[in-house]
Amino acid sequence: MANVNHVAIVGPLPPPAGGMANQTKQLASFLEAEGLKVTVVQVNPPYQPKWAGKIPMFRAFVRLIQYQRALKKQLADVDVVHIMANSGWSWHLFAAPAIKVAKRLNKAVVLNYRGGYAADFFAKSWSSVRKTMDLVDDIVVPSSFLQDVFQQYGKQSRVIPNVLNQARFNPESRQASMKPRVIVTRNLEEIYDVETSIRVFAGILQAFPGAELKVAGTGPELSALEQLSKSLGISEHVEFLGRLSPDEIAALYKSADLMLNTSVVDNSPNSLIESLACGTPVVSTNVGGIPKLVTDQHDALLANPRDAESLIKLSLSLLEDNSERERLTKNGLLTVEKFSWSNVWQALASCYQAAYVGAKND
C-alpha cells in the first residue's frame, strides 16, 4: 500500500482471550501477511514488577505510567495508529491517552470503536469523549448498529466488520453428536445472561432427555450458574469448560447441534459469526446490533431477551427439523463471507490510506 508501510495497533492481547484481544492479535497477523510492518502496543501487559499487580490502586498507577512510555516510544516511527476502543473506563484509560499521544506525534489515527454500551456511555460522557474523538482521522465500527449510534452524535463512521479466521472457523471436519449438544460461548457475566441459556436448556432436556450443554467461558457468575443447574436438577447434563483456546472453541462449535446466545446487551458478537462459519445454527436474543448482524428466520432464529419460553420453542424447532436446520446453516455460511479477510482488508487499506493522507494535509 503506497505510503502506509508501518501500522501500530493499540489494544489488548490474550490472555485473557476475549473478543477484542483475539481481534487485536488476529488483525496484527493478517496485516503482517499483507507485507506491512506491525507494532502492537499492548494495553494489558503483565504487571512489572509482578508484585505491583497485588496492590489495587498502585497497580493502576504503574500500568498507566508504563503505558504512556510505551506509546511515546512505539508510535514514533509508524504511519498509522489503529486504536481498538471500548466504552467506560477502557476509553479513558487506554483509548483517549493513545489518541492524544499519537496526535502529538502527528500520526494518522484510526479509531476502531466497539462495544454494546456505546449509547449509554456517550449519553453520560459525550462532552469529554467528543473532545478527544474530534482528534481522530477516521472512525471504524464493526456494525451498522454502532454506526447509527455515532450518527446520533454527529459523527461519521465507516463499517468494517470484524475479521473471521476462516482457516480456523469453517464447517470442515464437523463431528456428528450421538445426542443433541447445545453450547454457550460467552463469558459468565450478567450482560450475557447465561442464566437464561441454562433455563432454556432445561426446557430442551424435557424433549431430548439425553441432551448436553457445554458452557465455554469464565466470569463472576460461575458459582450462581452451577447452583442454578443443581436447583433445576440438570447439573449432570451441564459442563462448564472454563476458558478455551481459539482452536478449542472452533472444535466445540463443530461438535455442536445448536449455539445459544442469550445476551441482554451486545453489538456484533464474534461468537455468532464463528458459530455460523462452523456450520452450527444459532438461536439468539435480538438485542443491540444482533438483528443487523444476522437475520431472523434466514440465518438464525431470534427472540426477545429473557424470554426463555420463546427461546425454548425456537431451539426445539431447530433440533426437531433437519431441513430447517440445514436451510439456516446454508444461509449462515453465505452470511459469513463478508467477514473474510479479503473483504475486510480491501476496506481497511482504503481507510488507512485516507487517514494517512488526511493527517498529512492537516
Side-chain angles (χ1 to χ4, degrees), residues 102-330:
K103 295 316 292 183
R104 283 199 294 268
L105 294 171
N106 297 316
K107 304 300 179 181
V109 174
V110 172
L111 179 69
N112 192 175
Y113 200 99
R114 53 194 64 225
Y117 278 123
D120 291 340
F121 177 56
F122 290 172
K124 296 175 182 177
S125 308
W126 182 248
S127 59
S128 61
V129 170
R130 179 187 59 79
K131 294 176 182 178
T132 308
M133 200 170 287
D134 284 345
L135 300 175
V136 308
D137 299 287
D138 210 339
I139 299 173
V140 169
V141 292
S143 67
S144 57
F145 166 73
L146 272 183
Q147 187 179 46
D148 291 344
V149 173
F150 273 85
Q151 183 64 48
Q152 292 172 19
Y153 287 85
K155 285 292 181 183
Q156 298 298 316
S157 61
R158 64 172 85 196
V159 177
I160 300 181
N162 290 331
V163 62
L164 172 71
N165 187 336
Q166 293 178 302
R168 175 180 292 129
F169 299 103
N170 58 65
E172 298 173 4
S173 305
R174 281 190 59 84
Q175 304 169 12
S177 56
M178 299 300 294
K179 48 191 173 182
R181 175 174 292 174
V182 181
I183 61 171
V184 173
T185 58
R186 306 306 297 268
N187 281 336
L188 310 183
E189 302 171 14
E190 287 188 8
I191 63 171
Y192 299 126
D193 190 24
V194 180
E195 175 184 339
T196 294
S197 288
I198 290 176
R199 295 187 184 281
V200 170
F201 176 71
I204 293 173
L205 198 57
Q206 292 181 14
F208 293 92
E212 57 184 23
L213 173 65
K214 305 285 187 180
V215 182
T218 59
E221 298 296 304
L222 176 59
S223 295
L225 295 172
E226 290 176 330
Q227 185 58 44
L228 175 62
S229 299
K230 291 179 182 178
S231 68
L232 293 174
I234 63 173
S235 57
E236 65 182 36
H237 296 271
V238 180
E239 183 177 3
F240 293 91
L241 302 174
R243 191 179 298 281
L244 302 183
S245 70
D247 286 338
E248 290 171 330
I249 286 287
L252 183 65
Y253 286 130
K254 294 180 183 184
S255 71
D257 301 289
L258 171 65
M259 185 268 207
L260 266 179
N261 177 68
T262 51
S263 54
V264 294
V265 176
D266 234 321
N267 169 35
S268 182
N270 295 329
S271 54
L272 268 65
I273 297 305
E274 292 169 354
S275 182
L276 295 181
C278 290
T280 304
V282 169
V283 172
S284 174
T285 49
N286 57 5
V287 299
I290 290 176
K292 295 188 177 184
L293 183 66
V294 293
T295 303
D296 185 29
Q297 303 295 326
H298 174 71
D299 49 16
L301 299 181
L302 305 181
N304 291 328
R306 297 196 171 96
D307 187 349
E309 183 177 347
S310 293
L311 289 162
I312 291 170
K313 289 180 180 178
L314 293 176
S315 299
L316 291 177
S317 72
L318 270 181
L319 294 173
E320 294 170 348
D321 189 338
N322 289 335
S323 62
E324 175 69 354
R325 188 164 63 250
E326 290 174 1
R327 182 182 71 83
L328 289 176
T329 298
K330 181 179 179 181

Side-chain angles (χ1 to χ4, degrees), residues 160-161 336-349:
I160 300 181
V336 301
E337 283 300 316
K338 66 183 177 182
F339 299 91
S340 67
W341 173 245
S342 59
N343 290 332
V344 172
W345 169 236
Q346 183 177 6
L348 202 53

